[in-house]
Amino acid sequence: MTDTVSQLCTLLEPFNTNGTALSAATDISADLNIDSVTVMDFVMEVEDHFDIEIPLNVLSETRTVADLAKVVEARTRKG
Amino acid sequence: MDLLAKLEAIAQRHARMKALGGDAVGVVNEKILSPTRAIIDGRETILAGTNNYMGITFDAECIAAGQKALAEFGTGTTGSRIANGSYALHTELEREFARFLGRKHCIVFSTGYQANLGMMSGLAGPRDTIYLDADSHSSIYDGCTLSGAKLVRFRHNDAADLDKRLSRAEEDGGGKLVVLEGIYSMMGDRAPLADFIAVKKKHGFQLLVDEAHSFGVLGPHGRGLADEAGLEDDVDFVVGTFSKSVGAIGGFGAGDHPYFEYLRFAMRPYMFTASSSPASIATSIAAIRKLAAEPQRRRKLAENSARLFEGFKALGLELGCAEASPVVAVRCPDEPSTIAMWNALLKAGVYVNIALPPGTPNKLCLLRCSVSAAHSGADLDRIIELFGAVVAQGHGKKVVNG
């Protein structure tokens, strides 16, 4: 588990109400059974934790924790 | 793969709702008796979930104006204003609204939803960024998506959070649009406009306020939150709807920008849809003149809102926000108990809105009331009494525990 993935899993834990084992392969919306608004709330926490901007429109192709980690890493390097 | 298979979870959720004794999202008003009364399930019911803030839907002059337009201009316009041309009524309505709002320009849309789709997508493009409040209405989210702009969401009503996100942004040469609402439709709270305008002065963005629930309601002239706050000069664009205080259907966008009129050729939700029907436009013209001439409607609404808000507070109910507004939301423990309480309220003769996630912020389950200037004191007391019996006494708790 990369450092970004493990940090994302920690941030995701409060949204994990069905006790899913979190990993890079976790599908954030489908596996955790959380709705679109909750996903956006989670992304806001991620933005603040890494102090980066993740525009909502870049998230359409982002399903798993690994997908989100790629977005975070690309945006952290930029800054 | 069946395309509709993905609706399975929705079907199950709806079945669970109906199994609790009613269909809170499929109510049929068999007859509408007045702005505050309907026949539902054969029973006369007090309507407290209609957004009919001014109680203007049965106004005799508005009805007469609609009937006259129906006879003179026909049942429909059969096309868009770009293709078919405008009716004199459309341009008259735009002039009336611009005058009421004290703005140079006003464009009317066929619905309030389209007003937001049109304004977001007309103002911002793929090179721009829209900063939207986390609790924004779906029409704002959808308009942002249609615009192709970069979308950044900030924490609800938190000007410091917007400031932080603007500071975090890289300068990319694009424009910046910030979108707020006058009164938020679910919780009834107002945007802290002065705080946001301080951030505007620091960062220099363009500001749009959606006054859907505050137009006709707030401010000395009834123009909304910016009017109430005395900050209209700092707001670049105003959006609103005819389906609430105006009692018709349609929406508007307004502003003073010299290029504002050219938005007509840049907003697909304006260009590629039929214009509003003559009757709807005519009743809107009559209604806006009434709202200008009869400020007592706003005063009555404020009085009624305070009465319901204070009555609910005295029952110990947990409300959506700390300030009285025509949207009074009651927080409930969970979905089954909210449905059970909604059913009990309807059977006892009062209709309110049920609001469930993801249509609500922070996964809240709400029984949402909207107050009308047409509610009588007795109506409001009856609503308070029923909420006391059904909600404060915890009808719903049985469902939670058992």
Side-chain angles (χ1 to χ4, degrees):
Chain A
M1 201 181 268
T2 69
D3 183 43
T4 309
V5 167
S6 79
Q7 287 184 63
L8 287 175
C9 289
T10 306
L11 291 169
L12 196 50
E13 206 47 71
F15 298 89
N16 181 14
T17 52
N18 61 5
T20 302
L22 302 177
S23 72
T26 303
D27 183 314
I28 297 166
S29 174
D31 292 346
L32 272 56
N33 191 27
I34 56 179
D35 60 48
S36 55
V37 175
T38 310
V39 172
M40 292 192 292
D41 289 344
F42 164 60
V43 169
M44 214 172 224
E45 298 301 331
V46 174
E47 287 182 297
D48 284 350
H49 177 81
F50 291 97
D51 194 25
I52 53 171
E53 180 181 76
I54 307 176
L56 298 178
N57 43 306
V58 309
L59 291 173
S60 54
E61 303 289 314
T62 309
R63 298 201 60 79
T64 64
V65 171
D67 295 339
L68 186 58
K70 269 185 225 147
V71 173
V72 168
E73 281 161 8
R75 296 199 159 249
T76 315
R77 274 198 299 276
K78 255 205 257 178
Chain B
M1 179 68 177
D2 177 7
L3 291 167
L4 273 64
K6 63 174 92 65
L7 302 185
E8 177 64 24
I10 293 178
Q12 284 173 6
R13 191 179 180 190
H14 194 208
R16 281 196 300 275
M17 173 181 273
K18 288 196 288 193
L20 288 166
D23 184 358
V25 292
V27 166
V28 176
N29 293 278
E30 289 137 21
K31 278 185 188 168
I32 299 285
L33 306 175
S34 78
T36 56
R37 285 289 187 288
I39 304 289
I40 299 173
D41 289 336
R43 285 188 300 272
E44 185 168 330
T45 304
I46 300 174
L47 299 175
T50 60
N51 301 328
N52 195 346
Y53 299 127
M54 295 293 123
I56 211 165
T57 44
F58 280 80
D59 180 90
E61 287 171 44
C62 292
I63 288 175
Q67 286 169 334
K68 184 166 178 281
L70 197 53
E72 287 180 6
F73 290 89
T75 52
T77 62
T78 69
S80 86
R81 290 173 64 184
I82 304 284
N84 291 23
S86 296
Y87 287 22
L89 287 170
H90 294 120
T91 53
E92 185 184 347
L93 180 62
E94 286 174 342
R95 280 196 305 276
E96 285 290 340
F97 263 76
R99 186 183 309 149
F100 185 92
L101 290 161
R103 296 281 177 178
K104 289 194 179 77
H105 309 283
C106 176
I107 298 175
V108 303
F109 296 83
S110 303
T111 68
Y113 176 79
Q114 284 167 302
N116 268 333
L117 288 191
M119 290 295 287
M120 301 307 145
S121 61
L123 291 170
R127 291 170 184 277
D128 304 316
T129 307
I130 303 177
Y131 293 85
L132 74 168
D133 186 285
D135 286 8
S136 293
H137 190 261
S138 287
S139 57
I140 295 173
Y141 278 97
D142 292 353
C144 289
T145 303
L146 186 62
S147 75
K150 194 162 97 175
L151 305 182
V152 178
R153 189 170 175 256
F154 59 88
R155 293 182 194 277
H156 174 57
N157 271 354
D158 189 339
D161 191 68
L162 173 65
D163 184 8
K164 181 175 78 184
R165 285 166 204 282
L166 284 160
S167 305
R168 202 181 266 163
E170 295 163 46
E171 190 46 67
D172 57 5
K176 293 184 173 73
L177 176 67
V178 172
V179 182
L180 307 174
E181 293 183 40
I183 290 177
Y184 285 85
S185 60
M186 285 295 122
M187 308 299 272
D189 50 341
R190 298 155 160 82
L193 195 55
D195 298 349
F196 282 107
I197 285 168
V199 178
K200 185 185 182 199
K201 293 197 165 138
K202 180 177 168 192
H203 289 277
F205 49 76
Q206 284 167 293
L207 176 62
L208 181 148
V209 179
D210 178 356
E211 302 270 17
H213 290 268
S214 41
F215 178 81
V217 170
L218 298 181
H221 311 91
R223 300 201 285 246
L225 178 71
D227 182 24
E228 181 183 66
L231 293 166
E232 288 175 289
D233 290 347
D234 295 299
V235 174
D236 301 282
F237 309 104
V238 191
V239 169
T241 177
F242 304 157
S243 60
K244 298 178 172 69
S245 286
V246 180
I249 184 164
F252 68 85
D256 297 317
H257 195 286
Y259 285 175
F260 192 87
E261 292 293 332
Y262 299 109
L263 286 169
R264 291 181 200 274
F265 311 111
M267 301 187 294
R268 300 170 67 84
Y270 174 85
M271 296 160 75
F272 297 104
T273 192
S275 59
S276 307
S277 75
S280 192
I281 290 290
T283 66
S284 301
I285 296 171
I288 193 72
R289 288 178 183 153
K290 289 224 151 218
L291 296 193
E294 298 173 4
Q296 64 272 23
R297 288 177 186 271
R298 286 195 284 290
R299 285 197 291 272
K300 182 70 183 161
L301 177 65
E303 201 182 293
N304 283 352
S305 302
R307 186 164 177 161
L308 192 68
F309 183 82
E310 294 303 329
F312 279 2
K313 262 201 346 202
L315 291 173
L317 300 176
E318 206 185 327
L319 303 182
C321 66
E323 195 175 6
S325 98
V327 175
V328 186
V330 177
R331 298 170 192 240
C332 304
D334 60 12
E335 188 161 318
S337 67
T338 309
I339 294 168
M341 291 188 282
W342 183 89
N343 283 327
L345 288 168
L346 188 67
K347 285 205 173 71
V350 61
Y351 173 79
V352 302
N353 305 119
I354 195 163
L356 302 170
T360 53
N362 306 317
K363 296 186 190 171
L364 288 168
C365 294
L366 305 171
L367 291 169
R368 172 194 180 272
C369 303
S370 56
V371 182
S372 174
H375 280 130
S376 67
D379 291 341
L380 297 165
D381 291 346
R382 177 72 181 142
I383 297 167
I384 294 164
E385 185 191 333
L386 289 174
F387 267 75
V390 171
V391 185
Q393 303 292 318
H395 242 254
K397 283 179 191 150
K398 283 182 197 155
V399 177
V400 183
N401 298 332

